[in-house]
């Protein structure tokens, strides 16, 4: 397979960083794009970028810069709502494929700052679709979310399940992305694949997610907040399994002859939901400390359970989630102790 030029949006986000690394390691040319917003600690984002070979001091607004680790990686700091810069970037770089992982993340934050989600997840996404459409992109792979299933009672969640009742604005924007992508696939024969991610965790993870929040509290001897009195289950999925799925999906371009021409949608998860209290226990064991648990009611926008049926993804790409939670948490804690300098 010839070397491809791939745009990865959200390249200094958790998943985008790891996907960029994996693509570079297999010899692809990658242009990373991110606005490096301050939703969470930007120092972590700049540390990820440094791992990709680009120092903070050389970043220019709205211009691609090259790093010192690989001539195959470039980075541009730009916001997705800036259509003019995006159009110029697509015209100049002539991408083969786009892996769109940029979004305003966080379920609870969408209750506080809805406009950020509309701008990034809706306006930003239609800008990406327009650029892909007008530049003959071979395949657009984009991030959806397990949150679209809301409080569905049927488990495991399957792509054919109805997802008409989101319980957060974040989930509503992700469902909207799926509908927008379908429209562009139908009207313009733009091949698109959406991936509904299920609770991704691992090294370089987000500070607002449970693994980092719990690791911080346990390490510092502080109590943790446990919502819905611990009666939650999550399909925790290790980052390496997610990345393998994303990269393999990018190689499988939807074709005209399928049920929905040029359009696919997959769950991507571990398919082994774990009770929240068990997750906390594994984290305590990995860190060698116990933690005081403060019980709280269910939070607005949260769901009680996630559980992925990945049979469609496996059929198309041979996807297998191979990292169990104990090993995944061990690898996360190893990175955490090194990065956070905890003993």
């Amino acid at each position: 397979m010839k070397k491809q030029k791939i745009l990865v949006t959200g390249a200094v986000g958790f998943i985008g960083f790891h996907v960029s690394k994996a693509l570079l390691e297999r010899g692809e040319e990658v242009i990373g794009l991110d606005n490096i917003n301050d939703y969470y600690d930007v120092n972590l984002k700049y540390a990820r970028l440094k791992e990709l070979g680009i120092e903070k001091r050389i970043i220019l607004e709205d211009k691609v810069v090259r790093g010192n680790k690989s001539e195959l990686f470039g980075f541009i700091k730009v916001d997705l709502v800036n259509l003019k810069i995006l159009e110029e970037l697509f015209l100049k770089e002539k991408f083969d494929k786009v892996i769109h992982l940029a979004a305003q993340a966080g379920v609870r934050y969408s209750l506080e700052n809805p406009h950020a989600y509309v701008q990034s997840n809706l306006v930003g996404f239609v800008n990406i679709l327009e650029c892909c459409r007008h530049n003959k992109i071979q395949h657009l792979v984009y991030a959806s979310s397990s949150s679209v299933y809301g409080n569905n009672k049927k488990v495991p969640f399957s792509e054919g399940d109805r997802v008409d009742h989101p319980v957060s604005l974040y989930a509503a924007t992700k469902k909207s992305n799926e509908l927008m992508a379908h429209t562009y696939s139908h009207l313009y024969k733009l091949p698109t694949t959406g991936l509904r991610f299920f609770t991704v965790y691992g090294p370089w993870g987000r500070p607002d997610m449970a693994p980092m929040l719990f690791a911080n509290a346990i390490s510092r001897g502080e109590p943790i907040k446990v919502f819905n009195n611990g009666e939650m289950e999550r399909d925790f999925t290790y980052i390496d399994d997610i990345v393998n799925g994303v990269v393999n999906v990018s190689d499988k371009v939807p074709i005209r002859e399928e049920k929905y021409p040029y359009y696919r949608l997959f769950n991507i998860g571990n398919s082994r939901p774990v009770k929240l209290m068990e997750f906390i226990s594994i984290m305590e064991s990995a860190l060698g400390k116990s933690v005081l648990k403060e019980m709280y009611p269910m939070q607005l926008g949260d769901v009680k359970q996630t559980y992925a049926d990945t049979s469609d993804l496996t059929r198309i790409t041979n996807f297998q989630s191979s990292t169990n939670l104990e090993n995944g948490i061990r690898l996360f804690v190893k990175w955490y102790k090194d990065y956070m300098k905890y003993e």
Side-chain angles (χ1 to χ4, degrees), residues 77-92:
K77 182 182 178 185
V78 65
D79 197 295
L80 291 173
V81 300
N82 193 331
L83 180 58
K84 182 175 183 295
I85 298 297
L86 285 181
E87 289 174 335
E88 292 171 355
L89 178 70
F90 272 75
L91 193 62
K92 179 181 179 183

Side-chain angles (χ1 to χ4, degrees), residues 13-15 39-41 44 48 104-109 117 145-147 170 197-202 204-217 224-225 227 234-237 276 279 283 302 306 329 332 335-336:
F14 175 33
I15 300 175
Y39 167 64
Y40 62 79
D41 184 9
L44 177 58
R48 292 175 184 143
Q104 178 56 59
V107 169
R108 292 170 191 152
Y109 186 61
Y117 290 78
S145 166
S146 63
S147 66
Y170 171 73
F197 294 122
F198 280 70
T199 316
V200 189
Y201 75 99
W204 297 98
R206 277 172 32 203
D208 62 319
M209 297 290 284
M212 192 82 87
L213 291 171
F214 291 169
N216 282 337
I224 61 172
K225 294 180 179 179
F227 295 107
R234 290 290 182 268
D235 198 348
F236 292 101
T237 312
L276 184 58
F279 174 83
M283 183 73 78
D302 269 356
T306 62
I329 290 297
F332 166 75
W335 167 82
Y336 174 83

Side-chain angles (χ1 to χ4, degrees), residues 65-238:
V65 296
R66 297 283 170 173
N68 55 22
K69 281 191 176 180
S70 171
E71 62 183 16
L72 295 176
F73 184 68
F75 178 77
I76 180 168
K77 182 182 178 185
V78 65
D79 197 295
L80 291 173
V81 300
N82 193 331
L83 180 58
K84 182 175 183 295
I85 298 297
L86 285 181
E87 289 174 335
E88 292 171 355
L89 178 70
F90 272 75
L91 193 62
K92 179 181 179 183
E93 297 294 341
K94 303 190 183 324
F95 301 113
D96 297 303
K97 296 176 181 176
V98 174
I99 299 178
H100 176 58
L101 302 170
Q104 178 56 59
V107 169
R108 292 170 191 152
Y109 186 61
S110 67
L111 304 174
E112 304 167 22
N113 196 351
H115 296 289
Y117 290 78
V118 171
Q119 290 300 308
S120 181
N121 300 7
L122 298 180
V123 176
F125 190 63
V126 79
N127 286 348
I128 288 291
L129 286 169
E130 277 290 287
C131 288
C132 288
R133 166 198 172 194
H134 290 295
N135 290 276
K136 307 299 181 187
I137 297 301
Q138 297 169 19
H139 192 189
L140 166 63
V141 178
Y142 64 94
S144 186
S145 166
S146 63
S147 66
V148 300
Y149 290 106
N151 276 315
N152 279 14
K153 299 294 188 291
K154 171 189 159 293
V155 291
F157 299 157
S158 299
E159 292 89 348
D161 294 345
R162 293 190 64 174
V163 287
D164 302 326
H165 301 285
V167 296
S168 69
L169 181 63
Y170 171 73
T173 64
K174 289 300 186 178
K175 175 58 181 172
S176 299
N177 288 170
E178 296 174 1
L179 294 170
M180 294 158 75
H182 183 275
T183 302
Y184 272 69
S185 293
H186 172 74
L187 290 175
Y188 309 117
K189 300 180 175 58
L190 170 66
T192 68
T193 300
L195 293 170
R196 290 173 174 172
F197 294 122
F198 280 70
T199 316
V200 189
Y201 75 99
W204 297 98
R206 277 172 32 203
D208 62 319
M209 297 290 284
M212 192 82 87
L213 291 171
F214 291 169
N216 282 337
I218 294 168
S219 297
R220 296 167 181 164
E222 299 170 352
I224 61 172
K225 294 180 179 179
V226 180
F227 295 107
N228 200 39
N229 296 309
E231 294 298 314
M232 314 263 273
E233 288 186 273
R234 290 290 182 268
D235 198 348
F236 292 101
T237 312
Y238 189 66

